[in-house]
Each structure stands twice: as C-alpha cells, then as structure tokens.
Amino acid sequence: MTTIQNLIGGERVGDPDIERRNPADPSDVVARTPASSVTDVTAAVESAAHAQMRWAAMTPVARGAVLLDAADLLRQRHEAVATDLTREEGKTLAEARGEVRRAIDVLRFFGAGGWRATGEVLPSAFPSTTVYTRAEPLGVVGLITPWNFPIAIPAWKMAPALISGNAVVLKPAELTPVSVYHLTQALLDAGLPPGVLNVVHGSGRIVGDALVRHPDVAAVSFTGSTAVGNRIRAAVNDRHARVQLEMGGKNAYLILDDADPERAAAIVAAGGFGLTGQACTATSRVYVTPGVRDAFVKALREQAGAQRVGNGLDPDTTIGPVVSAAQLEQDRAAVAEAGAAGFDIGCGTELPSQFFAPVVVSNAVHDSRIAREEIFGPIVAVVDAEDYEDGLTKVNDSPYGLTAGICTESLSAAHDFAARARAGVVKVNRPTTGLDLNVPFGGIGESSTNTFREQGARAVDFYTWPKSVYMGHA
C-alpha cells in the first residue's frame, strides 16, 4: 500500500484517510489519500503563485532539462509504475505499460521543446524597427484529470504548462492517486523547484470547485464528463479566466459493403473493448450497410467472445475489471435497458466482482439510449445504415464530436468521410482509440470547448498568451 499526501510547496502534507482498493482484488488496498479542504487548495495556489515567477525566469532549455530528466527517471521505474497503475485502475499490464510509455514520451517531447521555444520575427512598416513576438506564461494553472488514463493525461496537461513557465495545481482523480504520485515524484527527483507543481487530493465537489473558482488560477484544463465540464465552463467564464475542456464522446464507426467484415470487426473490437471500453475515444456505436451487416455482427460477436476478462496483472487477460462499482452498475443498467427495448444482446455473461464481459447490442436503433448516450464500458451498439449517406448522417447526428471512423476500400469514400465527419479526430481503417502524441487532439460540440487543442506543439497555446514587441534601433 502507498500512503499518499498532498504536495504543497514541495512538501508532502495531509492525513491520508481514504482507501483505494484494487478493482480486481478488493482485498488489495492500493493507497490511502487525504480528503482535502478548500484551505488546502488555497495553500497550493499561494505556493504556486510564489514559485511561478522564478520558474518562468529560468531559460526554456533549463525547464526542459527537468522534464527530460524526469522522463529518464520514469523510464527507470517503468515496470513498478505500470504495476501500480494496473492495481489502482484495472487495465491490463500491457495497457498500463503503454500508458506509462506515453507519459515518458510526452515529457521528452515537451522537454526537448525547450530548445525550440521561440516567438516570431515579423516585418514592420515602420523604419528601423524590428517586431517580434513572445509567448508568455499565464501564471498559475489548474489541472483536473480523470481516472481512465491516470498518468498519461496528467503528463500531457502538465508538460506543456511547465515548459511554458507556468506553475501547476493538479487535482487528480480520487480513484487513481498512485500514478500521479509516481509522475510528480519523478519531476521532484529531477529537480523541479518547490511550489512549481502542487497536488491536492480530494473530491471534485470540494477540491475541484475551489480550484476552478480561485481568483489567482489563470486557467483550468479539465478532462472528464460533459456535465461536470459544462459546470466548470460556467464557473471559469464568470471570472473571465481561460478554460479548456475535453469531455464525453459517443464515437461512431461506419462499415461499408466493400469492407472486409472480419477486419472491420477486429478494428471495432480494439476500439470498443480495449481498455475495458473506459476511454473517451472508445468506439460505442457502429453503423453498417446491408451487404456486410450479418457477417460483421457475427465476426464482432466472435471478437467479444474471444476476450479474456480478468485481473489485469494476469498476462492472459485482455480486458481488466471495471474501475468501480458505480461504473459497473452503469454498464449493467445500459445493457438491461437495451434488452428490454428488444435489441439483440450478444455475449456479456455475468461475472463476479467488478468484471464485465464485452457486449454487442445488434438491431439497435439510432435514437435509442444505447446508441446516443455515453456509457463508458465495453459495449458496442450496431445500427443499420441504408447506404453511405445514411450512415454518415447518423454518425454526425450526435451532440458529441470526438472521434469517428470508417472501414472501406474506397479512397473516394475515405476522403469524403474525412472531410464531412463532424469529429475532432477521424480514423480510416484504424481503431478510434490510439493517438500520436505529436498530433493535436480534441473534439467539437459537447466533447470539447473546441478552442485550444491538447497534445502536439499546439498544446502550449492554451498555457501562453502572445506579446508583440516593437524594437526601435535608430
């Protein structure tokens, strides 16, 4: 068991009194964390504000060196960190290893960016004048991160914020405190100055709300549910601070008659069942044209039945447990409602504890809850599409717009879908999950604020403001 405290001003403080147990083995107490208060948030913000100017005064190269050294330390601790991630979140050890690798690579990407951090030199209409721009840090930024990617998402928010010269106050998910502990410890061990990074554990209702409303927090970046994100947007907008939201998704896939049904099923299964379906980019609704429908449904059910559900530490497991009892109940309720509506339920046998077998809901209809609302489990709804245009229309008929995909051998259909699909990320013959860290990520509609993107070089835009300088030299 790991005893975890808040990190404020470079010190570990707070009395841990909340237990987090392994969702695959409730007898395994993974961590204890504090239930923090508004006072803790205030102390963390004050600490960040005190440290930020000194951190910003360091050269970008020096700031980047800290991130690069932290990446090296995390690489040395890779297996232990991945094991703890699996124990607290439930995903398979292979998935956890990949996520820790992503956090390492993110630190390296933005750490190396310290050598590239620059503005622009622009021509001026005024004589003997040089014009250039500077990217200035915002100051103190608040980060609120979810449980489903407990080290990768904090890393990809934290790294661009830090390399830009900001100080950070992070509120991690209550369910997954250990992964953040490993990430922050690597940064501290790499020489991050005290107060530049602060972590406050606790509930969103208390800690998150206090962080969002604090007048000295210049910006808030949040990943989580749409309902919570919209409340954060209202609170931050009320005080005219900057906000970045990555929220829900109901990600669609379109399978055309020219697609290989078995290949299409493997792609959908990877996107829908992998990570226990607990990814905002997971495939959850599929539209299939008539010529391939029956073969696709048969192949997808075979893919679901071939999955091995179990403890993520077991090397034979392909789907780990559901993260919590509340999420498990949500998954079960969605399937029960779909069955009551008369849809065909494939696979999904009853399992003990917090394990949930993948489910294929075929013969679903487009306006049903199973095809419209985010569930966040290994459940895929299959809906008929008359043809390409009908399928595309249904793909776009959603308040969400995070990822969308198409399986086809038609180059024309692929390019048309890429142009017309209303989603921030489009995949052609690839799972909706899986992202390159150097590529901008975000959605539209109820999936995102659709202003600033995460990941890639553009991620720093959210954490900086542009200053234009006119330098007269005669």
Side-chain angles (χ1 to χ4, degrees):
M1 185 202 63
T2 304
T3 298
I4 294 176
Q5 297 174 283
N6 293 330
L7 176 63
I8 299 177
E11 300 292 331
R12 300 284 184 184
V13 297
D15 297 324
D17 52 10
I18 298 176
E19 284 187 350
R20 172 56 179 163
R21 294 177 179 267
N22 185 337
D25 178 9
S27 68
D28 177 20
V29 179
V30 182
R32 285 192 174 91
T33 57
S36 303
S37 66
V38 174
T39 301
D40 296 314
V41 175
T42 300
V45 174
E46 290 175 351
S47 172
H50 182 73
Q52 188 269 327
M53 291 187 67
R54 293 195 305 275
W55 174 246
M58 293 171 60
T59 67
V61 173
R63 295 196 297 267
V66 174
L67 301 188
L68 292 170
D69 287 348
D72 290 342
L73 291 170
L74 204 56
R75 183 70 185 91
Q76 295 169 19
R77 304 165 185 174
H78 189 176
E79 191 66 14
V81 177
T83 299
D84 278 349
L85 197 161
T86 292
R87 288 176 59 223
E88 70 173 353
E89 197 273 349
K91 65 182 61 175
T92 69
L93 189 55
E95 291 168 340
R97 287 172 178 145
E99 183 179 341
V100 177
R101 177 83 248 183
R102 169 56 68 96
I104 293 166
D105 290 344
V106 165
L107 291 174
R108 287 177 174 163
F109 179 86
F110 287 103
W115 290 94
R116 300 188 301 270
T118 182
E120 294 180 289
V121 177
L122 300 169
S124 174
F126 300 101
S128 302
T129 303
T130 299
V131 177
Y132 64 91
T133 63
R134 292 172 53 94
E136 302 286 359
L138 299 179
V140 177
V141 298
L143 310 179
I144 303 175
T145 57
W147 50 259
N148 59 329
F149 290 97
I151 195 167
I153 291 180
W156 80 50
K157 290 181 185 293
M158 198 183 296
L162 292 174
I163 195 64
S164 301
N166 298 281
V168 168
V169 179
L170 169 66
K171 193 216 90 67
E174 293 175 87
L175 294 175
T176 52
V178 184
S179 298
V180 161
Y181 171 83
H182 285 302
L183 176 62
T184 57
Q185 193 60 49
L187 285 159
L188 293 178
D189 292 344
L192 189 71
V196 174
L197 171 60
N198 304 269
V199 182
V200 185
H201 296 274
S203 72
R205 182 176 55 84
I206 296 174
V207 174
D209 185 72
L211 183 59
V212 165
R213 297 181 186 281
H214 198 290
D216 292 336
V217 174
V220 175
S221 180
F222 165 84
T223 298
S225 73
T226 298
V228 174
N230 284 334
R231 290 198 293 271
I232 289 173
R233 182 189 343 231
V236 175
N237 285 346
D238 279 349
R239 59 183 188 81
H240 305 289
R242 189 175 288 188
V243 64
Q244 177 185 58
L245 305 175
E246 294 302 335
M247 302 179 287
K250 190 65 179 176
N251 308 296
Y253 224 99
L254 175 58
I255 314 295
L256 299 186
D257 281 355
D258 64 354
D260 179 328
E262 293 190 357
R263 182 187 180 207
I267 290 170
V268 169
F273 305 145
L275 301 161
T276 318
Q278 296 176 153
C280 60
T281 55
T283 306
S284 59
R285 56 190 176 111
V286 181
Y287 300 97
V288 190
T289 52
V292 75
R293 182 200 177 282
D294 291 346
F296 169 78
V297 171
K298 179 177 181 291
L300 186 59
R301 285 182 172 177
E302 290 173 351
Q303 287 281 340
Q307 304 300 317
R308 176 164 176 173
V309 182
N311 192 317
L313 296 175
D314 183 340
D316 293 328
T317 293
T318 59
I319 295 180
V322 176
V323 73
S324 67
Q327 181 60 54
L328 179 64
E329 178 56 33
Q330 184 168 305
D331 294 348
R332 287 174 172 169
V335 174
E337 182 178 320
F343 306 144
D344 291 339
I345 309 297
C347 304
T349 56
E350 194 73 21
L351 295 171
S353 189
Q354 287 180 200
F355 298 107
F356 186 84
V359 175
V360 178
V361 180
S362 56
N363 293 332
V365 296
H366 174 63
D367 60 356
S368 62
R369 178 173 175 264
I370 200 77
R372 299 288 293 178
E373 296 183 15
E374 185 177 44
I375 299 164
F376 227 62
I379 303 165
V380 174
V382 180
V383 181
D384 290 346
E386 295 176 7
D387 51 27
Y388 170 72
E389 286 295 336
D390 180 54
L392 177 62
T393 298
K394 288 173 176 173
V395 166
N396 286 339
D397 180 25
S398 172
Y400 300 106
L402 189 53
T403 66
I406 184 171
C407 265
T408 180
E409 296 300 313
S410 167
L411 190 60
S412 175
H415 280 295
D416 186 76
F417 186 86
R420 296 168 61 196
R422 289 186 52 77
V425 177
V426 173
K427 297 289 194 77
V428 178
N429 299 324
R430 294 291 182 271
T432 53
T433 53
L435 304 165
D436 287 315
L437 64 86
N438 63 322
V439 178
F441 171 68
I444 62 172
E446 289 296 299
S447 291
S448 173
T449 39
N450 194 26
T451 47
F452 298 96
R453 287 309 197 216
E454 294 195 293
Q455 304 199 67
R458 292 185 183 178
V460 299
D461 293 347
F462 176 73
Y463 299 102
T464 59
W465 58 275
K467 177 186 289 181
S468 300
V469 179
Y470 287 75
M471 186 68 65
H473 41 81

